[in-house]
Every structure is written in C-alpha cells, then in structure tokens.
C-alpha cells in the first residue's frame, strides 16, 4: 500500500522528517494508511519485548519503592470498590456485580443459618474445584471449612449435636 502524501505544516516548533511531518504526525498517517499492519506489528513487538518491559518496571519500582507503595496505597484508598472487585475475581472468579446479585437473591441472609449478619457475607467456594457456592456468614463459612467440605462429617456433627442436646 502506498503512503499518502500530505503537505507539511503540522508543528513548526518540532523537527520534521519524511513528507515534512513531525514524528507523531507521521506515525498517525502511517497507522491510518494500514491499521492491520501496524497493530499486528505492535502486538508482535509487545510480546517480543515482554521480559525487557518487566525488568524495566522492576528497576523503576525498586528505584523508588516507598514512593511506589505510597502511590499504590493512595490509589487503593481512592478506589476501594475496584480493589475488592479485582480481589474477588482473582480469588473466586466472581466480581462485585455477581456478589451483589447473589446478596440480593439471598435477601442478605446466610444460606445456612438464615441470619442477616451485621457485616458482609463471605464467599463460600469448593476448595478442590474453586467453584463459587454462595454467600455465608463468617461463622458458618468457618464451620464448613473446619469440616473440610465433607457432607459426611457435617451429617455426623449434626447427629452428635442432636444426641447431646
């Protein structure tokens, strides 16, 4: 594909290159002339230099570690909803929207004891498959964890409690 010829008077204060355009304007013209080539080229270049980018980011981080931590903490404090969403997605594959939908579907109640706790319900998930099961209050979630997600143990515990009551 041929490159378009454009008369150049883009930015007089900048150094001019091919076709009399400054570098940013020339890049814009090239991208407009063949977007598929440039996006594929950019993707390949991006992937080829991934290790270099990571190493450079690591160097920048350690050059001003305290500043990076301070900026990160400030961003997290300013965006608590996004931090929680990212955490839930990473751990359980459930975002805040799905969490809220389940909370409304359960009427804010724990699925086991049916009480409305004074704090957020926690996500119950299968530890072997990672599958989301529902929202529970913290004591009920801990009880299931201590029973190691085993229905036989839970039934045995229920029988025991009935017998000693």
């Amino acid at each position: 594909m041929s490159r378009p010829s454009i008369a150049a008077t883009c930015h007089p204060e900048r150094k001019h290159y091919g076709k009399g355009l400054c570098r940013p304007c020339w890049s814009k013209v090239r991208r407009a002339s063949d977007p598929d080539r440039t996006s594929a080229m950019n993707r390949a270049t991006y992937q080829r230099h991934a290790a270099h980018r990571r190493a450079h980011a690591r160097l920048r981080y350690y050059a001003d570690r305290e500043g990076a931590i301070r900026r990160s903490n400030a961003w997290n404090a300013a965006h608590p909803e996004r931090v929680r969403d990212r955490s839930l997605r990473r751990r359980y594959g459930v975002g805040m929207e799905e969490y809220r939908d389940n909370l409304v579907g359960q009427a804010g109640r724990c699925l086991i004891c049916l009480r409305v706790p004074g704090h957020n319900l926690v996500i119950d998930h299968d530890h072997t498959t990672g599958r989301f099961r529902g929202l529970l209050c913290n004591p009920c979630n801990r009880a299931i964890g201590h029973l190691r997600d085993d229905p036989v143990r839970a039934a045995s515990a229920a029988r025991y409690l009935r017998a000693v009551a």
Side-chain angles (χ1 to χ4, degrees):
M1 179 176 273
S2 66
R3 301 206 174 153
S5 79
I6 295 178
T9 52
C10 57
H11 298 96
E13 71 279 0
R14 293 183 182 163
K15 183 176 177 185
H16 284 70
Y17 298 91
K19 307 288 184 197
L21 297 173
C22 66
R23 182 157 291 158
C25 292
W26 176 242
S27 296
K28 195 181 295 180
V29 168
R30 275 188 58 208
R31 277 194 301 275
S33 68
D34 190 6
D36 292 335
R37 177 186 166 275
T38 56
S39 64
M41 183 178 68
N42 290 342
R43 249 189 328 272
T45 303
Y46 186 81
Q47 290 167 351
R48 196 169 48 247
H49 298 292
H52 175 73
R53 276 193 330 279
R54 281 192 301 271
H56 184 68
R58 195 175 302 114
L59 287 173
R60 272 195 335 242
Y61 173 78
Y62 284 112
D64 183 24
R65 187 166 185 252
E66 290 80 17
I69 291 170
R70 191 173 46 254
R71 286 187 299 275
S72 176
N73 289 342
W75 189 92
N76 289 343
H79 304 92
E81 200 61 23
R82 289 178 65 184
V83 172
R84 176 115 167 105
D85 182 67
R86 187 175 46 207
S87 173
L88 291 177
R89 283 187 193 285
R90 186 179 62 244
R91 286 182 177 171
Y92 310 111
V94 176
M96 278 304 292
E97 189 173 321
E98 192 173 346
Y99 177 89
R100 281 195 207 97
D101 291 344
N102 279 287
L103 191 60
V104 169
Q106 294 176 206
R109 298 182 179 278
C110 171
L111 288 175
I112 294 177
C113 66
L114 302 177
R115 290 183 305 147
V116 178
H119 50 75
N120 288 341
L121 293 172
V122 296
I123 290 182
D124 177 39
H125 68 287
D126 187 336
H127 287 98
T128 54
T129 64
R131 186 179 62 86
F132 168 76
R133 294 190 290 210
L135 301 175
L136 303 176
C137 66
N138 202 27
C140 291
N141 190 46
R142 284 176 177 253
I144 287 180
H146 287 299
L147 292 171
R148 297 194 180 113
D149 295 343
D150 187 358
V152 175
R153 282 182 184 215
S156 178
R159 275 195 309 277
Y160 167 76
L161 288 173
R162 277 196 226 65
V164 296

